[in-house]
Amino acid sequence: MRKKIVAGNWKMHKNAEQTEDLLNELIALIPTESDAQIIVAPTFVNLASAVDHLEFTPINVAAQNMHQAESGAYTGEISADMLKSIGVNTVILGHSERRAIFHETDALIASKVDTALRHDMTVIFCFGEELKDRQSKNHFNIVENQLRDGLFHIEAKDWEKIVLAYEPVWAIGTGETASPEQAQEMHEFIRETVRKAFGSDIAEDVSILYGGSVKPDNAKEIFSKPDVDGGLIGGAALKAEDFVAIVKAI
């Protein structure tokens, strides 16, 4: 049975003091019992303190990225073993900003997925089309290719460690708006694509999160769609009241 998940990606925001303040606000406001698994992803330098701070709470900690190598001369990079050693067992891979700004390819992301799975980590696998793809009506092909090339090489048993996060890049900071119906349409397509490759059991069990500017005022309607299992939240995750409102909306 698939999980409901609300994950907050903090990106390059919040220094050590600000991180502690936001975590304290979340601890005070977050429901002690929720239908959703709750995840926050602070920046690398604050991951260890976040893990310690949240130890006895229902909030889990994820990393925003990691390197595909086990170790080596990769200045500035972070390995899976380093994350595991501080108690981080979940990692976001393939985020649209990593793809667009840092030119991460499907092949590179696939390699990172392999490394994460070797270390028994849960992967939040991000993918989604840009505005030009949506306008040219190539969006389904783009999404299918990103799934196939970045993820479909894994074994069936590994899917229990995979969470999918669909990011309609065209609807984030562009002035364009994705409707709940458009979210459902794509999520239904994603689930069917997984079903064709790996069967109905895996397709029905995998959680598919929506990452297209989810906010308190649209979360309930988006989350009500049958193939939307939660959200990967960006800007709204940086405000405790907004993030908690989204968690409650599920």
Side-chain angles (χ1 to χ4, degrees):
M1 184 174 179
R2 59 187 187 253
K3 300 175 183 176
K4 299 289 187 180
I5 300 170
V6 178
N9 177 16
W10 293 12
K11 307 186 181 184
M12 198 174 72
H13 296 288
K14 305 295 182 183
N15 62 27
E17 182 179 356
Q18 293 166 338
T19 295
E20 184 173 345
D21 288 344
L22 180 51
L23 292 177
N24 284 335
E25 290 181 64
L26 289 174
I27 291 169
L29 294 173
I30 215 80
T32 54
E33 294 184 5
S34 172
D35 291 336
Q37 181 181 352
I38 305 162
I39 301 171
V40 295
T43 186
F44 278 128
V45 297
N46 295 317
L47 283 176
S49 60
V51 170
D52 290 342
H53 212 75
L54 297 171
E55 183 177 4
F56 300 108
T57 77
I59 307 172
N60 300 287
V61 179
Q64 297 177 21
N65 185 37
M66 63 167 224
H67 198 273
Q68 67 273 21
E70 295 292 342
S71 62
Y74 304 103
T75 300
E77 293 294 330
I78 307 295
S79 72
D81 182 62
M82 292 173 184
L83 294 174
K84 293 279 288 189
S85 72
I86 60 169
V88 175
N89 298 302
T90 301
V91 61
I92 300 169
L93 296 177
H95 191 277
S96 60
E97 291 160 0
R98 298 298 310 178
R99 293 175 184 267
I101 300 171
F102 300 100
H103 309 294
E104 292 195 0
T105 64
D106 290 329
L108 175 62
I109 297 163
S111 180
K112 292 185 177 189
V113 168
D114 291 342
T115 301
L117 292 175
R118 281 200 305 273
H119 285 265
D120 198 32
M121 298 184 75
T122 295
V123 173
I124 300 176
F125 180 87
C126 301
F127 56 99
E129 80 280 10
E130 297 181 8
L131 182 59
K132 59 181 173 57
D133 305 315
R134 173 68 62 156
Q135 290 174 333
S136 65
K137 302 189 184 305
N138 196 38
H139 47 297
F140 290 119
N141 287 334
I142 292 293
V143 164
E144 184 175 359
N145 288 341
Q146 288 178 341
L147 283 169
R148 184 187 66 237
D149 296 343
L151 193 61
F152 278 15
H153 64 286
I154 68 173
E155 296 182 23
K157 65 179 179 61
D158 293 325
W159 275 90
E160 65 182 21
K161 288 293 188 178
I162 300 296
V163 175
L164 301 179
Y166 167 61
E167 298 181 285
V169 185
W170 58 275
I172 304 172
T174 63
E176 299 287 335
T177 302
S179 69
E181 290 72 26
Q182 286 172 315
Q184 168 58 24
E185 178 186 44
M186 182 58 83
H187 279 230
E188 184 178 13
F189 172 79
I190 291 163
R191 203 174 299 282
E192 181 60 25
T193 301
V194 174
R195 181 178 288 108
K196 289 177 181 177
F198 290 92
S200 294
D201 288 347
I202 287 173
E204 289 304 317
D205 284 347
V206 67
S207 297
I208 309 176
L209 312 185
Y210 180 70
S213 298
V214 178
K215 298 177 175 62
D217 61 356
N218 65 12
K220 187 172 184 178
E221 188 176 6
I222 291 171
F223 292 164
S224 71
K225 299 304 180 183
D227 287 297
V228 178
D229 303 309
L232 179 60
I233 316 302
L238 300 174
K239 298 178 181 178
E241 290 185 357
D242 286 355
F243 187 67
V244 172
I246 292 170
V247 170
K248 289 180 178 179
I250 210 160

